[in-house]
Amino acid sequence: MSSGSESSPSESSYFSRKNGVENISLTRLPNLASPRLMTPTSQLAETAVGVREAAKCIGRALVKLERPQTVMLVAKALDAKIIKFTRQLACHLIDTPRTSCGHKGLTVYIDSKFRTHPAFSFDRLLASHPHYADQLKFWTPELCATQTDHIDFIITLGGDGTVIYTSWLFQHAQVPPVVPFDLGSLGFLTNFNITNIRDVLQRVIGCRGAGVRVNLRMRLSCTVWRSDFKSKNKEVLEGRTAEKKRREDLCSIKGDEEEADGRSKIGRRASSQQPDPGTTLNGLPAYSSDDLISTTPAPRLNDEHATSDIGDLLDEISLQLMSKVDPDELDPGPGTPKRIRSMQSLGTTLPSADNAKPVPTETFQILNDLVVDRGPSAYMSQLELFVDDRHLTTVQADGLVLSTPTGSTAYSLSAGGSLVHPEVPSVLVTPICPHTLSFRPMLLPDSTDIRIQVPRDSRTSAWASFDGRHRIELKKGDYVTVTMSRWPMPTVCEVDQGTDWSESLRRCLHWNERTRQKPFVGEQDKRLEKVGDSLTQLDSELSSSSETRTSFNGDVSDGSYRCEDICEQDEQREDDDPGLRM
């Protein structure tokens, strides 16, 4: 400590650094009920409590952009009104100095598609404001992938798709803080109203207030692995050729003299009956005796050498046939003939998903979900689901959805998945129309490694899409691994994570909205009292009106009156007074 006093064992930290590596310290922790040492189980429990408290503090922390210099605007490129508003916002950010902080206007990055768009009018903008040439720049997907340090924060103008597209731009780097404004349809991820944009920007970059809360939205890292059957099949076929040549050499050495004498006699007899070489029979070329007569003797049932020769012949035919078959169709499963399976004992192996070396081809960082479905095929998908290299289940359904807590309100929700708070570190596994009644959605911890594989005996291939983009085909033997990404996506909260999430559910889904059930005693009685008072007042008015109108008809003894008499009296008055006529 800076004061020079040594810290007691009870004041030791959860974490210690040794050789540049942070390690968890399981020493005595503060506020112990007993002076004796803690057991390993209690130490782990206390450490888990500390980790949860640290995660809670991260969620409640206030973030403030001290000196932002650049901002990136991501807007819908299909809406001319939004493009025009993007132009106005860019001019505002460039020309408006932050006087409270002593900073000038920001450098604004605009989508490169807007440069030639007529609604943006970039040439006219530079003609009227020449100083924009240094502060108005254009971003491309390549710039987002290679020069992420040039962007301090991002403003999105659109809906949820615009926010997901922003996440897609930063595949292998940390996403800058995102301030999402709602200009879309639903708006699960866009918490800010566009009418409050000036106040929001003052809170975020105007050096006013203590800062804003940021929601670190979890992303998934998905890697596609392809089974390299082409090169593997070539190596197997080369091994089969070498084995075939070795067996032929052994057969030639094991030939006995009787078989050699028999072949020579037959050969001499056939050669005496054939014409001279070069001549033709009926226009066909002449053949030699070696071409017409097989050198393999007729097998006998009790002949051991004959049985082995038949086996070698069958192996040779199988090799020739399989060399012409598409490697993707080779599947030495349980239904494989015994003779082909016995080839493995001879030193040759068939290409399969077990011995083929998979190759990683591409990796994606997704914010919403990974969807693996049957694609255009009419067959049901068959997928193998592994968790931490352990087979969990075989999925027989239209597909499977692996989503983040952010994506729990997307495709997973439509398929029957649960709503998950964005601060819950988990992965949702939701089947799409499973062909079993017991396959229910589940949540897995974010520390698990998940693998979805298309089995070799599947009837068809599968198709995968990542955040609704880059749809690819997964052939038999291919698989996708899913882990937690090291680069989350920070989005600025309007209030905090929990409040924004619950408000989005009510605003977008009208979640759990219903007419409140009436109590047995309470407001209902008050309503009845009001209705009863109004009826009593109406009765009193009717009674007073009846007393007044009985004077027109003296024959009514019971206080009642007839409407016909009153109408006749009114008509008589109108006839007598000409001024009442229209």
Short mmCIF file of all heavy atoms in Angstrom, two decimals, residues 351-407:
data_model
loop_
_atom_site.label_atom_id
_atom_site.label_comp_id
_atom_site.label_asym_id
_atom_site.label_seq_id
_atom_site.Cartn_x
_atom_site.Cartn_y
_atom_site.Cartn_z
N PRO A 351 -12.91 -42.87 -46.63
CA PRO A 351 -13.11 -41.51 -46.13
C PRO A 351 -14.41 -41.39 -45.37
O PRO A 351 -15.45 -41.81 -45.84
CB PRO A 351 -13.12 -40.66 -47.41
CG PRO A 351 -13.53 -41.60 -48.49
CD PRO A 351 -12.99 -42.94 -48.10
N SER A 352 -14.35 -40.83 -44.21
CA SER A 352 -15.53 -40.63 -43.38
C SER A 352 -15.34 -39.36 -42.57
O SER A 352 -14.29 -38.74 -42.58
CB SER A 352 -15.76 -41.83 -42.45
OG SER A 352 -14.69 -41.95 -41.55
N ALA A 353 -16.40 -39.00 -41.85
CA ALA A 353 -16.33 -37.78 -41.05
C ALA A 353 -15.37 -37.92 -39.89
O ALA A 353 -14.92 -36.94 -39.32
CB ALA A 353 -17.73 -37.43 -40.53
N ASP A 354 -15.04 -39.17 -39.52
CA ASP A 354 -14.15 -39.38 -38.38
C ASP A 354 -12.69 -39.18 -38.75
O ASP A 354 -11.92 -38.64 -37.98
CB ASP A 354 -14.37 -40.77 -37.79
CG ASP A 354 -15.79 -40.92 -37.25
OD1 ASP A 354 -16.37 -39.90 -36.85
OD2 ASP A 354 -16.28 -42.06 -37.22
N ASN A 355 -12.30 -39.68 -39.93
CA ASN A 355 -10.89 -39.59 -40.28
C ASN A 355 -10.58 -38.41 -41.18
O ASN A 355 -9.41 -38.17 -41.46
CB ASN A 355 -10.42 -40.89 -40.95
CG ASN A 355 -11.26 -41.23 -42.18
OD1 ASN A 355 -11.63 -40.34 -42.94
ND2 ASN A 355 -11.56 -42.51 -42.37
N ALA A 356 -11.59 -37.68 -41.66
CA ALA A 356 -11.34 -36.50 -42.48
C ALA A 356 -10.98 -35.33 -41.57
O ALA A 356 -11.59 -35.13 -40.53
CB ALA A 356 -12.55 -36.16 -43.33
N LYS A 357 -9.99 -34.58 -41.95
CA LYS A 357 -9.55 -33.45 -41.16
C LYS A 357 -10.36 -32.22 -41.53
O LYS A 357 -10.25 -31.71 -42.64
CB LYS A 357 -8.07 -33.20 -41.38
CG LYS A 357 -7.51 -32.05 -40.53
CD LYS A 357 -6.05 -31.82 -40.82
CE LYS A 357 -5.23 -33.00 -40.32
NZ LYS A 357 -3.79 -32.75 -40.48
N PRO A 358 -11.19 -31.69 -40.61
CA PRO A 358 -11.98 -30.49 -40.94
C PRO A 358 -11.08 -29.26 -41.01
O PRO A 358 -10.04 -29.18 -40.34
CB PRO A 358 -12.98 -30.40 -39.79
CG PRO A 358 -12.31 -31.11 -38.66
CD PRO A 358 -11.46 -32.19 -39.26
N VAL A 359 -11.50 -28.33 -41.81
CA VAL A 359 -10.74 -27.12 -42.04
C VAL A 359 -11.63 -25.91 -41.74
O VAL A 359 -12.73 -25.80 -42.29
CB VAL A 359 -10.24 -27.05 -43.50
CG1 VAL A 359 -9.50 -25.75 -43.76
CG2 VAL A 359 -9.35 -28.24 -43.80
N PRO A 360 -11.23 -24.98 -40.86
CA PRO A 360 -12.02 -23.77 -40.63
C PRO A 360 -11.92 -22.83 -41.83
O PRO A 360 -10.83 -22.55 -42.33
CB PRO A 360 -11.39 -23.16 -39.38
CG PRO A 360 -9.99 -23.68 -39.36
CD PRO A 360 -10.03 -25.04 -39.99
N THR A 361 -13.04 -22.36 -42.30
CA THR A 361 -13.06 -21.54 -43.50
C THR A 361 -13.41 -20.08 -43.22
O THR A 361 -12.84 -19.19 -43.85
CB THR A 361 -14.07 -22.11 -44.52
OG1 THR A 361 -15.37 -22.18 -43.91
CG2 THR A 361 -13.64 -23.50 -44.96
N GLU A 362 -14.34 -19.80 -42.30
CA GLU A 362 -14.75 -18.42 -42.04
C GLU A 362 -15.36 -18.33 -40.65
O GLU A 362 -15.90 -19.31 -40.13
CB GLU A 362 -15.76 -17.94 -43.10
CG GLU A 362 -16.86 -18.93 -43.40
CD GLU A 362 -17.60 -18.61 -44.68
OE1 GLU A 362 -17.38 -17.52 -45.22
OE2 GLU A 362 -18.42 -19.43 -45.12
N THR A 363 -15.24 -17.13 -40.07
CA THR A 363 -15.74 -16.87 -38.72
C THR A 363 -16.56 -15.59 -38.74
O THR A 363 -16.18 -14.61 -39.40
CB THR A 363 -14.58 -16.73 -37.73
OG1 THR A 363 -13.80 -17.93 -37.73
CG2 THR A 363 -15.10 -16.49 -36.32
N PHE A 364 -17.69 -15.60 -38.01
CA PHE A 364 -18.60 -14.46 -37.96
C PHE A 364 -18.91 -14.13 -36.51
O PHE A 364 -19.07 -15.03 -35.68
CB PHE A 364 -19.90 -14.76 -38.72
CG PHE A 364 -19.70 -15.21 -40.13
CD1 PHE A 364 -19.76 -16.57 -40.45
CD2 PHE A 364 -19.44 -14.31 -41.14
CE1 PHE A 364 -19.58 -17.00 -41.75
CE2 PHE A 364 -19.26 -14.74 -42.44
CZ PHE A 364 -19.32 -16.08 -42.75
N GLN A 365 -19.00 -12.82 -36.23
CA GLN A 365 -19.45 -12.33 -34.92
C GLN A 365 -20.91 -11.87 -35.09
O GLN A 365 -21.18 -10.95 -35.85
CB GLN A 365 -18.58 -11.17 -34.44
CG GLN A 365 -17.09 -11.40 -34.59
CD GLN A 365 -16.56 -12.56 -33.79
OE1 GLN A 365 -17.02 -12.79 -32.66
NE2 GLN A 365 -15.59 -13.29 -34.32
N ILE A 366 -21.82 -12.51 -34.38
CA ILE A 366 -23.24 -12.23 -34.58
C ILE A 366 -23.81 -11.65 -33.30
O ILE A 366 -23.39 -11.99 -32.18
CB ILE A 366 -24.01 -13.50 -34.98
CG1 ILE A 366 -23.94 -14.57 -33.90
CG2 ILE A 366 -23.50 -14.04 -36.31
CD1 ILE A 366 -24.81 -15.77 -34.16
N LEU A 367 -24.78 -10.77 -33.46
CA LEU A 367 -25.46 -10.12 -32.33
C LEU A 367 -26.80 -10.78 -32.02
O LEU A 367 -27.20 -10.82 -30.85
CB LEU A 367 -25.66 -8.64 -32.65
CG LEU A 367 -26.41 -7.80 -31.61
CD1 LEU A 367 -25.62 -7.73 -30.30
CD2 LEU A 367 -26.69 -6.40 -32.14
N ASN A 368 -27.49 -11.28 -33.03
CA ASN A 368 -28.83 -11.82 -32.84
C ASN A 368 -28.82 -13.34 -32.71
O ASN A 368 -28.96 -13.88 -31.63
CB ASN A 368 -29.75 -11.39 -33.99
CG ASN A 368 -30.86 -10.48 -33.52
OD1 ASN A 368 -30.81 -9.95 -32.43
ND2 ASN A 368 -31.84 -10.28 -34.35
N ASP A 369 -28.65 -14.04 -33.82
CA ASP A 369 -28.80 -15.49 -33.78
C ASP A 369 -28.12 -16.14 -34.97
O ASP A 369 -27.86 -15.52 -36.00
CB ASP A 369 -30.28 -15.89 -33.75
CG ASP A 369 -31.12 -15.18 -34.80
OD1 ASP A 369 -30.59 -14.92 -35.89
OD2 ASP A 369 -32.29 -14.89 -34.54
N LEU A 370 -27.85 -17.44 -34.79
CA LEU A 370 -27.42 -18.35 -35.84
C LEU A 370 -28.58 -19.31 -36.10
O LEU A 370 -29.09 -19.94 -35.17
CB LEU A 370 -26.17 -19.13 -35.42
CG LEU A 370 -25.87 -20.41 -36.20
CD1 LEU A 370 -25.46 -20.09 -37.63
CD2 LEU A 370 -24.77 -21.22 -35.50
N VAL A 371 -28.99 -19.41 -37.36
CA VAL A 371 -30.10 -20.27 -37.75
C VAL A 371 -29.58 -21.32 -38.71
O VAL A 371 -28.99 -20.99 -39.75
CB VAL A 371 -31.24 -19.47 -38.40
CG1 VAL A 371 -32.38 -20.40 -38.82
CG2 VAL A 371 -31.76 -18.40 -37.46
N VAL A 372 -29.76 -22.59 -38.36
CA VAL A 372 -29.41 -23.72 -39.23
C VAL A 372 -30.71 -24.43 -39.55
O VAL A 372 -31.37 -24.98 -38.66
CB VAL A 372 -28.42 -24.68 -38.54
CG1 VAL A 372 -28.04 -25.82 -39.49
CG2 VAL A 372 -27.17 -23.94 -38.10
N ASP A 373 -31.11 -24.43 -40.83
CA ASP A 373 -32.38 -25.00 -41.22
C ASP A 373 -32.21 -25.91 -42.43
O ASP A 373 -31.11 -26.10 -42.92
CB ASP A 373 -33.41 -23.89 -41.52
CG ASP A 373 -32.90 -22.89 -42.54
OD1 ASP A 373 -32.47 -23.33 -43.63
OD2 ASP A 373 -32.93 -21.68 -42.27
N ARG A 374 -33.33 -26.44 -42.91
CA ARG A 374 -33.30 -27.40 -44.01
C ARG A 374 -33.15 -26.73 -45.36
O ARG A 374 -32.89 -27.41 -46.36
CB ARG A 374 -34.56 -28.24 -44.00
CG ARG A 374 -35.84 -27.44 -44.25
CD ARG A 374 -37.06 -28.32 -44.18
NE ARG A 374 -38.26 -27.59 -44.56
CZ ARG A 374 -39.47 -28.13 -44.63
NH1 ARG A 374 -39.61 -29.42 -44.36
NH2 ARG A 374 -40.51 -27.42 -44.98
N GLY A 375 -33.34 -25.43 -45.44
CA GLY A 375 -33.19 -24.73 -46.71
C GLY A 375 -34.30 -25.08 -47.68
O GLY A 375 -35.46 -25.24 -47.30
N PRO A 376 -33.97 -25.22 -48.97
CA PRO A 376 -35.01 -25.51 -49.96
C PRO A 376 -35.44 -26.96 -49.99
O PRO A 376 -36.35 -27.31 -50.74
CB PRO A 376 -34.35 -25.11 -51.28
CG PRO A 376 -32.89 -25.34 -51.05
CD PRO A 376 -32.65 -25.00 -49.61
N SER A 377 -34.82 -27.82 -49.20
CA SER A 377 -35.14 -29.24 -49.23
C SER A 377 -36.49 -29.49 -48.56
O SER A 377 -36.89 -28.80 -47.62
CB SER A 377 -34.05 -30.05 -48.52
OG SER A 377 -34.43 -31.41 -48.43
N ALA A 378 -37.19 -30.50 -49.06
CA ALA A 378 -38.47 -30.89 -48.47
C ALA A 378 -38.30 -31.86 -47.32
O ALA A 378 -39.25 -32.15 -46.61
CB ALA A 378 -39.37 -31.52 -49.54
N TYR A 379 -37.07 -32.36 -47.12
CA TYR A 379 -36.83 -33.31 -46.05
C TYR A 379 -36.62 -32.58 -44.72
O TYR A 379 -36.24 -31.41 -44.68
CB TYR A 379 -35.59 -34.17 -46.35
CG TYR A 379 -35.76 -35.14 -47.50
CD1 TYR A 379 -35.22 -34.86 -48.74
CD2 TYR A 379 -36.48 -36.31 -47.33
CE1 TYR A 379 -35.37 -35.73 -49.81
CE2 TYR A 379 -36.64 -37.20 -48.38
CZ TYR A 379 -36.09 -36.91 -49.62
OH TYR A 379 -36.26 -37.77 -50.66
N MET A 380 -36.83 -33.29 -43.66
CA MET A 380 -36.59 -32.77 -42.32
C MET A 380 -35.08 -32.73 -42.06
O MET A 380 -34.33 -33.62 -42.46
CB MET A 380 -37.28 -33.67 -41.30
CG MET A 380 -37.09 -33.29 -39.86
SD MET A 380 -38.05 -34.36 -38.78
CE MET A 380 -37.43 -35.98 -39.26
N SER A 381 -34.63 -31.68 -41.39
CA SER A 381 -33.21 -31.55 -41.08
C SER A 381 -32.82 -32.55 -40.00
O SER A 381 -33.59 -32.85 -39.09
CB SER A 381 -32.90 -30.13 -40.59
OG SER A 381 -33.10 -29.19 -41.61
N GLN A 382 -31.61 -33.04 -40.14
CA GLN A 382 -31.03 -33.93 -39.13
C GLN A 382 -29.67 -33.37 -38.75
O GLN A 382 -28.75 -33.32 -39.55
CB GLN A 382 -30.89 -35.36 -39.65
CG GLN A 382 -30.41 -36.35 -38.60
CD GLN A 382 -30.42 -37.79 -39.11
OE1 GLN A 382 -30.83 -38.04 -40.23
NE2 GLN A 382 -29.98 -38.71 -38.29
N LEU A 383 -29.56 -32.92 -37.51
CA LEU A 383 -28.36 -32.26 -37.03
C LEU A 383 -27.91 -32.92 -35.74
O LEU A 383 -28.73 -33.37 -34.93
CB LEU A 383 -28.61 -30.77 -36.79
CG LEU A 383 -29.18 -29.96 -37.97
CD1 LEU A 383 -29.59 -28.57 -37.49
CD2 LEU A 383 -28.17 -29.87 -39.09
N GLU A 384 -26.59 -32.94 -35.55
CA GLU A 384 -26.02 -33.44 -34.31
C GLU A 384 -25.57 -32.25 -33.47
O GLU A 384 -24.83 -31.39 -33.94
CB GLU A 384 -24.82 -34.37 -34.59
CG GLU A 384 -25.15 -35.58 -35.44
CD GLU A 384 -26.09 -36.56 -34.74
OE1 GLU A 384 -26.24 -36.45 -33.50
OE2 GLU A 384 -26.66 -37.42 -35.42
N LEU A 385 -26.03 -32.18 -32.22
CA LEU A 385 -25.73 -31.08 -31.32
C LEU A 385 -24.77 -31.56 -30.25
O LEU A 385 -25.07 -32.50 -29.51
CB LEU A 385 -27.02 -30.55 -30.69
CG LEU A 385 -26.88 -29.36 -29.75
CD1 LEU A 385 -26.28 -28.16 -30.47
CD2 LEU A 385 -28.22 -29.00 -29.13
N PHE A 386 -23.60 -30.91 -30.18
CA PHE A 386 -22.58 -31.23 -29.20
C PHE A 386 -22.38 -30.02 -28.29
O PHE A 386 -22.36 -28.87 -28.76
CB PHE A 386 -21.25 -31.58 -29.87
CG PHE A 386 -21.29 -32.82 -30.72
CD1 PHE A 386 -21.71 -32.76 -32.03
CD2 PHE A 386 -20.90 -34.04 -30.20
CE1 PHE A 386 -21.74 -33.89 -32.83
CE2 PHE A 386 -20.93 -35.18 -30.97
CZ PHE A 386 -21.35 -35.11 -32.29
N VAL A 387 -22.21 -30.29 -26.99
CA VAL A 387 -21.93 -29.26 -26.00
C VAL A 387 -20.67 -29.67 -25.25
O VAL A 387 -20.65 -30.74 -24.61
CB VAL A 387 -23.11 -29.06 -25.03
CG1 VAL A 387 -22.75 -28.04 -23.96
CG2 VAL A 387 -24.34 -28.61 -25.79
N ASP A 388 -19.62 -28.86 -25.36
CA ASP A 388 -18.33 -29.17 -24.75
C ASP A 388 -17.83 -30.55 -25.19
O ASP A 388 -17.39 -31.37 -24.37
CB ASP A 388 -18.42 -29.10 -23.22
CG ASP A 388 -18.62 -27.67 -22.73
OD1 ASP A 388 -18.19 -26.75 -23.44
OD2 ASP A 388 -19.20 -27.50 -21.65
N ASP A 389 -17.94 -30.80 -26.50
CA ASP A 389 -17.47 -32.05 -27.12
C ASP A 389 -18.22 -33.28 -26.62
O ASP A 389 -17.73 -34.41 -26.76
CB ASP A 389 -15.96 -32.24 -26.90
CG ASP A 389 -15.14 -31.24 -27.68
OD1 ASP A 389 -15.63 -30.77 -28.73
OD2 ASP A 389 -14.03 -30.90 -27.25
N ARG A 390 -19.37 -33.10 -26.04
CA ARG A 390 -20.22 -34.21 -25.63
C ARG A 390 -21.51 -34.16 -26.44
O ARG A 390 -22.12 -33.09 -26.57
CB ARG A 390 -20.55 -34.16 -24.14
CG ARG A 390 -19.34 -34.32 -23.23
CD ARG A 390 -19.78 -34.34 -21.76
NE ARG A 390 -18.65 -34.49 -20.86
CZ ARG A 390 -17.95 -33.48 -20.37
NH1 ARG A 390 -18.27 -32.24 -20.71
NH2 ARG A 390 -16.94 -33.69 -19.56
N HIS A 391 -21.91 -35.30 -26.95
CA HIS A 391 -23.12 -35.34 -27.76
C HIS A 391 -24.33 -35.11 -26.88
O HIS A 391 -24.61 -35.88 -25.95
CB HIS A 391 -23.22 -36.70 -28.48
CG HIS A 391 -24.40 -36.78 -29.41
ND1 HIS A 391 -25.60 -37.35 -29.05
CD2 HIS A 391 -24.56 -36.34 -30.69
CE1 HIS A 391 -26.44 -37.27 -30.06
NE2 HIS A 391 -25.84 -36.67 -31.06
N LEU A 392 -25.06 -34.04 -27.17
CA LEU A 392 -26.24 -33.71 -26.37
C LEU A 392 -27.50 -34.37 -26.93
O LEU A 392 -28.22 -35.06 -26.21
CB LEU A 392 -26.43 -32.19 -26.31
CG LEU A 392 -27.63 -31.69 -25.51
CD1 LEU A 392 -27.50 -32.09 -24.05
CD2 LEU A 392 -27.77 -30.17 -25.63
N THR A 393 -27.75 -34.18 -28.22
CA THR A 393 -28.95 -34.77 -28.82
C THR A 393 -28.83 -34.71 -30.34
O THR A 393 -27.97 -34.01 -30.89
CB THR A 393 -30.22 -34.02 -28.38
OG1 THR A 393 -31.37 -34.69 -28.88
CG2 THR A 393 -30.23 -32.60 -28.91
N THR A 394 -29.70 -35.46 -30.99
CA THR A 394 -29.85 -35.41 -32.44
C THR A 394 -31.11 -34.61 -32.76
O THR A 394 -32.21 -34.96 -32.32
CB THR A 394 -29.95 -36.82 -33.04
OG1 THR A 394 -28.76 -37.54 -32.74
CG2 THR A 394 -30.13 -36.75 -34.55
N VAL A 395 -30.93 -33.54 -33.47
CA VAL A 395 -32.03 -32.64 -33.79
C VAL A 395 -32.70 -33.11 -35.07
O VAL A 395 -32.06 -33.19 -36.12
CB VAL A 395 -31.53 -31.19 -33.96
CG1 VAL A 395 -32.69 -30.27 -34.29
CG2 VAL A 395 -30.82 -30.73 -32.70
N GLN A 396 -33.95 -33.46 -34.98
CA GLN A 396 -34.77 -33.81 -36.13
C GLN A 396 -35.94 -32.83 -36.19
O GLN A 396 -36.96 -33.03 -35.54
CB GLN A 396 -35.25 -35.26 -36.04
CG GLN A 396 -34.11 -36.27 -36.03
CD GLN A 396 -34.60 -37.70 -36.07
OE1 GLN A 396 -34.66 -38.33 -37.12
NE2 GLN A 396 -34.97 -38.21 -34.92
N ALA A 397 -35.73 -31.78 -36.95
CA ALA A 397 -36.69 -30.69 -36.98
C ALA A 397 -36.47 -29.92 -38.28
O ALA A 397 -35.65 -30.29 -39.12
CB ALA A 397 -36.52 -29.78 -35.77
N ASP A 398 -37.23 -28.83 -38.42
CA ASP A 398 -36.99 -27.95 -39.56
C ASP A 398 -35.70 -27.16 -39.42
O ASP A 398 -35.19 -26.65 -40.41
CB ASP A 398 -38.17 -26.97 -39.72
CG ASP A 398 -39.37 -27.64 -40.36
OD1 ASP A 398 -39.24 -28.80 -40.79
OD2 ASP A 398 -40.44 -27.01 -40.42
N GLY A 399 -35.20 -27.04 -38.21
CA GLY A 399 -33.95 -26.32 -38.01
C GLY A 399 -33.71 -26.07 -36.54
O GLY A 399 -34.41 -26.58 -35.66
N LEU A 400 -32.67 -25.28 -36.27
CA LEU A 400 -32.26 -24.97 -34.92
C LEU A 400 -31.80 -23.51 -34.87
O LEU A 400 -31.15 -23.03 -35.80
CB LEU A 400 -31.12 -25.90 -34.48
CG LEU A 400 -30.76 -25.93 -33.00
CD1 LEU A 400 -31.90 -26.54 -32.20
CD2 LEU A 400 -29.49 -26.72 -32.78
N VAL A 401 -32.16 -22.84 -33.78
CA VAL A 401 -31.79 -21.44 -33.58
C VAL A 401 -30.91 -21.34 -32.35
O VAL A 401 -31.30 -21.81 -31.27
CB VAL A 401 -33.04 -20.53 -33.41
CG1 VAL A 401 -32.61 -19.09 -33.20
CG2 VAL A 401 -33.94 -20.64 -34.63
N LEU A 402 -29.73 -20.76 -32.49
CA LEU A 402 -28.85 -20.44 -31.38
C LEU A 402 -28.78 -18.92 -31.30
O LEU A 402 -28.27 -18.27 -32.23
CB LEU A 402 -27.45 -21.03 -31.58
CG LEU A 402 -27.21 -22.41 -30.95
CD1 LEU A 402 -28.06 -23.47 -31.66
CD2 LEU A 402 -25.75 -22.78 -31.03
N SER A 403 -29.29 -18.35 -30.24
CA SER A 403 -29.40 -16.90 -30.15
C SER A 403 -28.78 -16.39 -28.86
O SER A 403 -28.62 -17.13 -27.88
CB SER A 403 -30.87 -16.46 -30.24
OG SER A 403 -31.58 -16.90 -29.11
N THR A 404 -28.46 -15.11 -28.89
CA THR A 404 -28.00 -14.40 -27.71
C THR A 404 -29.21 -13.88 -26.93
O THR A 404 -30.34 -13.94 -27.42
CB THR A 404 -27.11 -13.22 -28.13
OG1 THR A 404 -27.90 -12.31 -28.93
CG2 THR A 404 -25.93 -13.70 -28.97
N PRO A 405 -29.00 -13.35 -25.71
CA PRO A 405 -30.13 -12.71 -25.03
C PRO A 405 -30.73 -11.56 -25.83
O PRO A 405 -31.95 -11.34 -25.78
CB PRO A 405 -29.51 -12.22 -23.72
CG PRO A 405 -28.39 -13.18 -23.46
CD PRO A 405 -27.85 -13.53 -24.81
N THR A 406 -29.91 -10.85 -26.60
CA THR A 406 -30.45 -9.80 -27.46
C THR A 406 -31.36 -10.38 -28.53
O THR A 406 -32.39 -9.80 -28.87
CB THR A 406 -29.31 -9.01 -28.11
OG1 THR A 406 -28.49 -8.43 -27.08
CG2 THR A 406 -29.83 -7.91 -29.01
N GLY A 407 -31.00 -11.54 -29.08
CA GLY A 407 -31.80 -12.18 -30.11
C GLY A 407 -32.96 -13.00 -29.59
O GLY A 407 -33.65 -13.67 -30.38
#
